[in-house]
Amino acid sequence: MSQHPPHLRDRAAARLRRAAYERLPCQPVRDLLGPDDVDAAYAVQAANTRHACELGRHRIGRKVGLTSSAVRRQLGVHQPDLGTLLDDALVPSAGRVDPGRLLQPRIEAEVAFVLGRDLDAVTADVEQARDAVEYAVAALEICDSRIAGWDISIADTVADNASAGLFVLGPDRVDICDLDLAAVTMTMHRNGTQVASGSGADCLDDPLNALRWLANAALTYGEPLRAGEIVLSGALGPMVPVAAGDEVAATISAVGSVTVSIGSAEEVHTHG
């Protein structure tokens, strides 16, 4: 358990909240938490989640971050983490995002699960994880960081809610009972040009491994996964930057397709 004083965790939480509110990235919080104190970082994440819920937002799921070796190499962080999905982060399928909601967005494609039952005990194998899934959909996660320049250690990204931003769920719901998720393939296009590809095996060898990891980590930190929650299981390939005017589409074989648009520069000027 973390030995960091509570007042330092409070300062880290406040720094991240201010960055989100002011729409200005902040310096890393590892000066307050240390670069590797994951327990302290999860305490910061939990405090800011409580603060968001006190303001009327609601938790609707969880995400696993840093499941892809490509993403870990991009960020220089070498272990998975978990974050919280809040209701106002869900973008409608094929929806358009106001770029003013984003700071330093990067997008990735992944398999999302909707749980049909709780995972509130140790999840020993992927079949236990599979049995808890009601259905899967293709998803896009628009990751974001309140930390300037994505200059993150594991403590920074955990404290910053696993660099969560917005997410989009595709329209097709798939029964995964007999589906080999490790074998699915992903392609992602930005403005018609392919910018990423990968497979289910790129997500901790199988997206169900990511779900199992998440279930156990959530249990460890006192908030087990519940029926009805959405789980973003992690990237199937590298993250790519997105900006105003971009349109992104991803297809995951045997699962479905998903698209999102980022509002154009003209819209930013008109509404800014």
Side-chain angles (χ1 to χ4, degrees):
M1 190 60 65
S2 170
Q3 300 301 311
H4 276 78
H7 77 277
L8 294 182
R9 299 197 296 268
D10 292 345
R11 284 174 58 190
R15 183 183 296 174
L16 291 166
R17 287 199 305 272
R18 184 170 60 252
Y21 177 76
E22 295 179 351
R23 316 309 300 156
L24 291 172
C26 64
Q27 71 184 78
V29 294
R30 57 182 176 266
D31 63 320
L32 301 171
L33 305 177
D36 303 311
D37 193 333
V38 174
D39 288 339
Y42 277 120
V44 171
Q45 181 187 133
N48 279 345
T49 298
R50 286 193 299 272
H51 183 267
C53 292
E54 288 167 359
L55 296 177
R57 302 166 75 186
H58 301 282
R59 189 181 80 191
I60 59 172
R62 251 70 71 85
K63 60 161 285 186
V64 195
L66 303 167
T67 57
S68 161
S69 60
V71 172
R72 291 195 296 271
R73 286 193 300 270
Q74 283 179 300
L75 299 178
V77 178
H78 303 293
Q79 65 190 82
D81 64 352
L82 69 91
T84 299
L85 303 178
L86 298 172
D87 55 344
D88 61 345
L90 176 59
V91 177
S93 177
R96 183 175 294 272
V97 173
D98 176 0
R101 299 183 65 185
L102 304 169
L103 291 176
Q104 307 173 99
R106 301 179 179 184
I107 197 164
E108 60 189 31
E110 50 198 271
V111 175
F113 300 115
V114 174
L115 300 182
R117 65 174 180 82
D118 296 349
L119 280 170
D120 55 0
V122 173
T123 305
D125 56 46
V126 295
E127 293 312 311
Q128 285 181 307
R130 187 191 301 273
D131 289 345
V133 174
E134 183 176 352
Y135 59 87
V137 299
L140 289 168
E141 183 182 4
I142 305 173
C143 301
D144 210 349
S145 180
R146 273 52 61 179
I147 306 296
W150 281 86
D151 177 16
I152 58 174
S153 68
I154 186 62
D156 293 306
T157 186
V158 167
D160 190 25
N161 196 25
S163 303
L166 308 175
F167 66 100
V168 191
L169 303 181
D172 301 317
R173 300 180 176 186
V174 175
D175 183 343
I176 67 165
C177 180
D178 299 314
L179 187 58
D180 181 1
L181 287 168
V184 302
T185 58
M186 176 276 293
T187 55
M188 184 166 68
H189 291 76
R190 182 183 58 200
N191 304 324
T193 299
Q194 183 172 317
V195 289
S197 63
S199 72
D202 293 323
C203 178
L204 292 183
D205 298 324
D206 187 322
L208 286 170
N209 278 334
L211 175 57
R212 183 174 66 88
W213 182 91
L214 176 62
N216 292 333
L219 188 64
T220 296
Y221 287 99
E223 293 285 352
L225 298 179
R226 298 299 185 191
E229 284 197 275
I230 299 163
V231 171
L232 299 181
S233 63
L236 304 186
M239 298 190 300
V240 298
V242 285
D246 284 344
E247 296 187 357
V248 178
T251 298
I252 301 174
S253 64
V255 178
S257 299
V258 56
T259 63
V260 71
S261 300
I262 312 297
S264 68
E266 290 77 12
E267 289 171 320
V268 175
H269 179 76
T270 300
H271 295 103

